[in-house]
Amino acid sequence: HVALRNKISAIKGIAPEHIFLGNGSDECIDVLFRSFCEPGQSNTIICPPTYGMYQVSAQINDIALLEAPLLPDFQLNLPHIEQLATDKTRIIWICSPNNPTGNLMHWEDIETVLNHFSGLVVVDEAYINFARQRSLITMLPDYPNLVVLQTLSKAWGLAGLRIGMAFASAGIIEIMNKVKPPYNVNQATQEIALAALKGIEKVNTMIIEIVNMRDALIDIIKKIPTVEKITP
Ligand SMILES: *Cc1c(COP(=O)(O)O)cnc(C)c1O
């Protein structure tokens, strides 16, 4: 999928050797487990409530799952994460904006995890297009242990197409490309994705519309007398 990878490279401003394409980002998650964890030996940390696939994929690959639940304000519990992480811990999963709570994790907290943990820190940005914060992609040159996941399934509205992206240092991407099935992104998907990526202005208009509707919805909910607080 050279042409598609080059097109994504141009849009994101990241060299192709830093980009992995998966059959949806769900496949990126699975390939990360299979590339960097030892079944029956390694463990991984998630911060629930969060996206369910990290757990499903960990269990299928026989990787122990450790949980550092989010704080009451849905932010990362850094002391708990630190307490759980050992030399058997290979991946820490951070979903930002988080599914299902919708909030962004504090940028400094993600950097703290990246600075103190020597394994992989995967930041799942499936919903980044709707966020008022830039992507962690800009931090890739600073952190060789950072993996950023994005997808065409949400803002792009192409969940049925199955295109997920992982952005990381070249060494990580090289290993993931060796582990993935050789033809994981089929020709028809590549062609439709290339055509869709030409319509980036249309998608940006849709994103602005959705974000404006979110603001409008907040204004309406605010007027309901029984509502005490609206979390972001
Ligand atoms: C939807 C979603 C995914 C998976 O997306 P696909 O690319 O369709 O596999 C991954 N992470 C989060 C947080 C999601 O909400």
Side-chain angles (χ1 to χ4, degrees), residues 62-75:
D62 191 19
I63 309 304
L65 195 78
L66 308 180
E67 300 191 358
L70 296 173
L71 296 166
D73 64 353
F74 299 141
Q75 290 297 323

Side-chain angles (χ1 to χ4, degrees), residues 22-27 29 50-51 53-54 95-99 124-127 149-154 158-160 162-165:
N23 185 352
S25 41
D26 284 351
E27 190 186 44
I29 294 167
T50 193
Y51 185 53
M53 210 59 196
Y54 315 134
C95 190
S96 180
N98 187 40
N99 175 359
D124 186 343
E125 294 188 335
Y127 291 95
L149 299 183
Q150 293 185 3
T151 177
L152 295 191
S153 293
K154 304 291 158 66
L158 296 170
R162 311 310 302 140
I163 291 283
M165 299 158 269

